[in-house]
Amino acid sequence: MAWADRGAGRVTRPDRRWVLAAGAGLAVATITAGATHVWGPGVPRLHTAPDWYAAHLTNRGARAELDLLNQEWLVSGSVPGRGTDIEDMVRSALLDLRRLTAPSGALAAGAGMKWNYSWPRDAAFGALALACAGHLEEAAAALRFFAPLQLPGGGLESRYLLDGSGVPDARPAQSDGPGWVLWALGSLTAIGLGRLLEAQPSLAVDLRRLATGCLDHLLTSTSAGTTLPVVTADFWEVEQSRASLGLVAPMLAGLRGAATFFTTLDDPGRAARAASAAATFEPVILSHFGPTFQRHGDRGGRDAGTAMLMPPFTDEQPAVLEAWLGYQHGAARASGGLAPGTDWWQHGESWTPQTALVAFNAASSGRAPLAKQWLTWLDSIRTPWGSLPEKVLNDGAPAGPAPLAWTAALVVLAAYELDRDRQIRTDSVANWVR
């Protein structure tokens, strides 16, 4: 499958050292309503059906009306990647984010079952993706949802019920959540969040409260950036005894984002504290986790935590770049994508959020060909209804929920960054010609 900027005359074919073709000719069969679906030779695969977003609507007319409203919403914004081979994937990803949004404004992590909750991490990426496509109010609402739900001290639970009534179980809180929320708030300021807050004072109050709590949590957890935090789970979502790169890197991104956000709010005191803590915390991370940047520093293998220390989250460091490339090499799987880490279970499964995260890094750091390779693979493993699944099994069959908000958001963000890169190059040529 080739990547093309349509009309531009440029085609880049994926490097097979990094991208393996997913199995073709797959068919989906629905067993019963709400049951697991089966792809290929009788192995349980997907947990969702093509009409997952409208499953509660029994009236065919209501479903048609919902489809029309969603299409109108899409047209009201923009579609990153327009005119390229991934335009349709990005369009579907945006529609999936829309369909995953609850009446409360909360963004669900995935389609149904145990994914039908709002994770701060997934919501942060989803919010930024919505804003990049012109839906800033929905983006702000997805983050505002967490404002009244913070723990004492400003922390966030690992996930929440979509109606805001609490948590689904006793799963411990995760300290990467406040970092991701602050990173998203800081990133949104470049897309007009400041103007929106001026127009909606109550929103400004809620997001200021949310950001203040998250910043207080990070400053306390890291002693203002001087120490590693108390250990909690990270994106692996398993108990661990040592701080991981996937836990601390989002905290650094959050401190940097807080500095930007509070500058926008004209709060120089908090902005300065956040910036100072970020400047202090970065060398602490580099010292503890370098030079190999494995999951736990000197052990655990390299994982997608390396991607969280790459642009756009922080400035690129040579040793981190080497680890990031090494992670991709060591975590490559037969189904064509990446596992969450080189020491992840050797089932041959590819996980789409980690693969899309690397594509986002590549697009944000001027490595467009690599970004396009991973995006091309993601496009090739979509379900028949267009959604991106959580993972792909070793035989190329999509599995888990489809869609998954984190993957959908990262695809939109990577396409947005590629658009920016293309525009920068176009402007540079135009300026040179002048």
Side-chain angles (χ1 to χ4, degrees), residues 169-413:
D169 51 36
R171 179 183 291 204
Q174 287 181 210
S175 290
D176 60 341
W180 286 131
V181 167
L182 286 172
W183 167 74
L185 287 171
S187 301
L188 286 173
T189 61
I191 316 176
L193 181 61
R195 293 189 298 274
L196 181 62
L197 297 183
E198 289 179 2
Q200 298 187 23
S202 65
L203 176 64
V205 169
D206 287 345
L207 291 186
R208 179 189 289 270
R209 177 176 50 156
L210 173 64
T212 298
C214 288
L215 177 58
D216 288 346
H217 175 78
L218 295 188
L219 292 175
T220 300
S221 299
T222 66
S223 299
T226 61
T227 63
L228 295 179
V230 172
V231 177
T232 71
D234 62 2
F235 70 97
W236 283 44
E237 297 184 359
V238 296
E239 291 185 11
Q240 52 186 355
S241 59
R242 301 180 64 182
S244 67
L245 196 55
L247 174 65
V248 301
M251 291 182 163
L252 175 60
L255 289 170
R256 292 167 63 98
T260 302
F261 179 73
F262 283 111
T263 298
T264 300
L265 291 187
D266 196 22
D267 189 339
R270 286 195 175 89
R273 286 196 293 276
S276 176
T280 302
F281 196 42
E282 184 169 17
V284 170
I285 294 174
L286 296 177
S287 174
H288 180 84
F289 289 91
T292 60
F293 292 94
Q294 297 185 63
R295 176 166 163 72
H296 298 295
D298 60 352
R299 68 189 69 177
R302 288 169 172 160
D303 73 354
T306 61
M308 300 170 189
L309 274 185
M310 286 283 290
F313 308 113
T314 189
D315 300 326
E316 185 175 302
Q317 301 285 339
V320 176
L321 172 61
E322 181 181 352
W324 178 72
L325 293 171
Y327 157 63
Q328 293 172 68
H329 179 75
R333 293 296 182 259
S335 50
L338 299 171
T342 58
D343 283 7
W344 189 263
W345 293 283
Q346 301 296 315
H347 297 158
E349 295 173 342
S350 299
W351 288 69
T352 62
Q354 285 72 38
T355 306
L357 182 60
V358 167
F360 183 34
N361 290 148
S364 301
S365 60
R367 298 177 174 87
L370 182 58
K372 292 173 183 179
Q373 288 172 16
W374 289 124
L375 290 169
T376 296
W377 176 78
L378 287 162
D379 191 29
S380 75
I381 52 84
R382 287 194 292 154
T383 62
W385 58 93
S387 295
L388 287 152
E390 177 187 48
K391 55 189 175 182
V392 181
L393 303 185
N394 59 0
D395 62 357
L404 191 76
W406 196 11
T407 305
L410 284 163
V411 162
V412 174
L413 292 171

Side-chain angles (χ1 to χ4, degrees), residues 129-140:
L130 289 170
C132 286
H135 305 287
L136 184 58
E137 291 200 24
E138 290 95 329

Side-chain angles (χ1 to χ4, degrees), residues 20 52 63 107 122 202 273 278 321 336 372 382 427 429:
L20 303 176
W52 61 271
R63 294 189 182 196
L107 184 62
D122 301 57
S202 65
R273 286 196 293 276
L321 172 61
K372 292 173 183 179
R382 287 194 292 154
D427 291 346
V429 170

Side-chain angles (χ1 to χ4, degrees), residues 81-179:
R82 188 181 297 277
T84 72
D85 283 353
I86 61 164
E87 178 181 348
D88 185 68
M89 176 172 62
V90 175
R91 187 183 303 275
S92 293
L94 283 169
L95 284 171
D96 282 339
L97 291 174
R98 168 73 167 179
R99 294 160 180 162
L100 287 169
T101 301
S104 64
L107 184 62
M113 300 175 64
K114 63 183 180 181
W115 298 273
N116 198 35
Y117 309 118
S118 187
W119 270 260
R121 174 198 61 216
D122 301 57
F125 282 88
L128 185 56
L130 289 170
C132 286
H135 305 287
L136 184 58
E137 291 200 24
E138 290 95 329
L143 297 176
R144 187 185 200 177
F145 169 76
F146 299 112
L149 303 174
Q150 286 180 289
L151 297 166
L156 292 168
E157 298 281 8
S158 62
R159 55 187 183 168
Y160 294 92
L161 296 169
L162 297 180
D163 63 2
S165 62
V167 297
D169 51 36
R171 179 183 291 204
Q174 287 181 210
S175 290
D176 60 341

